[in-house]
């Protein structure tokens, strides 16, 4: 069962406007000097469920909130993938005019090439959960944090290898299209 380590009810650093940020537990990228290394453990926090969403996330979405940002840990790790899928579906159903951003250490192209099998708990090719997530979200910040490429003045990311991707344009054009900065 996926766990939520923390929820920030209003942030401005994880995407455009004022956002609610959800931090999933667990990550196996182990980036050097990660700003969330305390979230590498998959066992911290509260179990994510429909009840958790209804009681602890949905009430935070006020009129002035521009959208939801999902990060971690690693929200697209296979242990968190189904929970992330459910979260984006529930959120977009309840708030169709609000945006969703996801931060991941995986590359966009790599994720599009995967499929996850619930039977074997392993990735195979091409994945309906990831594709549904991508067709639901607006922006993906991809790539591992790399200490040697760190720049403090970058908007919405920590190192120059990370990209801010306009997911809907990228899917339509079958090419990575960067989000406006």
């Amino acid at each position: 069962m996926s766990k939520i380590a923390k929820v920030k009810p209003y942030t401005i650093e994880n995407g455009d406007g004022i956002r609610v940020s959800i931090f999933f537990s667990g990550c196996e990228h182990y980036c050097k000097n990660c700003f969330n290394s305390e979230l590498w453990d998959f066992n911290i926090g509260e179990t994510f469920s429909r009840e958790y969403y209804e009681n602890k996330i949905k009430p935070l979405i006020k009129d002035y909130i521009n959208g939801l940002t999902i990060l971690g840990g690693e929200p697209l790790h296979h242990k968190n993938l189904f929970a992330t899928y459910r979260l984006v579906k529930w959120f977009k159903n309840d708030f169709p005019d609000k945006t969703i951003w996801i931060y991941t250490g995986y590359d966009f192209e790599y994720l599009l090439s995967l499929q996850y099998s619930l039977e074997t708990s392993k990735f195979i090719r091409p994945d309906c959960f990831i594709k549904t997530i991508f067709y639901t979200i607006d922006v993906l910040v991809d790539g591992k944090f790399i200490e040697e490429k760190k720049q403090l003045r970058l908007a919405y990311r920590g190192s120059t290898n990370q990209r801010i991707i306009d997911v809907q344009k990228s899917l339509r054009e079958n090419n990575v299209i960067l989000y406006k900065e």
Side-chain angles (χ1 to χ4, degrees):
M1 298 296 286
S2 296
K3 295 189 180 253
I4 303 294
K6 59 185 168 181
V7 175
K8 289 189 174 181
Y10 40 86
T11 62
I12 57 170
E13 66 274 4
N14 298 324
D16 280 345
I18 302 170
R19 314 187 67 73
V20 171
S21 291
I22 309 300
F23 293 79
F24 274 93
S25 299
C27 184
E28 294 179 343
H29 296 303
Y30 307 119
C31 300
K32 179 182 172 186
N33 291 324
C34 170
F35 84 106
N36 271 337
S37 59
E38 72 277 7
L39 303 184
W40 290 352
D41 183 349
F42 285 93
N43 298 310
I44 62 171
E46 295 182 59
T47 301
F48 180 73
S49 64
R50 182 67 188 222
E51 182 180 346
Y52 185 94
Y53 169 77
E54 293 290 338
N55 295 324
K56 297 195 176 181
I57 297 172
K58 192 174 173 181
L60 298 174
I61 312 303
K62 310 294 185 200
D63 288 341
Y64 61 85
I65 296 293
N66 294 82
L68 183 72
T69 298
I70 305 168
L71 56 166
E74 176 55 69
L76 299 180
H77 184 280
H78 68 87
K79 291 180 180 178
N80 291 328
L81 188 59
F82 186 61
T84 300
Y85 163 83
R86 293 189 311 161
L87 176 56
V88 301
K89 294 295 286 176
W90 294 337
F91 182 84
K92 205 51 137 172
N93 185 59
D94 291 334
F95 307 101
D97 297 329
K98 305 225 183 249
T99 61
I100 302 174
W101 286 46
I102 293 182
Y103 281 72
T104 181
Y106 299 112
D107 293 330
F108 180 71
E109 298 86 352
Y110 171 75
L111 289 165
L112 281 176
S113 73
L114 297 177
Q115 180 179 3
Y116 185 70
S117 169
L118 289 174
E119 294 160 8
T120 63
S121 296
K122 296 190 183 201
F123 283 106
I124 55 179
R125 301 183 189 311
D127 180 73
C128 65
F129 289 130
I130 288 174
K131 287 192 173 169
T132 300
I133 290 168
F134 282 177
Y135 279 106
T136 307
I137 69 171
D138 302 281
V139 175
L140 182 78
V141 181
D142 80 336
K144 295 178 186 177
F145 170 74
I146 298 175
E147 175 68 22
E148 295 75 26
K149 295 183 177 189
K150 177 180 179 178
Q151 287 197 7
L152 297 176
R153 295 179 188 240
L154 292 172
Y156 307 129
R157 62 198 189 278
S159 57
T160 57
N161 62 296
Q162 295 172 308
R163 302 175 296 180
I164 304 171
I165 299 170
D166 184 318
V167 176
Q168 298 311 306
K169 284 184 182 177
S170 297
L171 292 172
R172 276 194 306 275
E173 298 186 26
N174 200 27
N175 192 22
V176 173
I177 306 297
L178 297 180
Y179 183 74
K180 64 171 176 49
E181 290 189 39

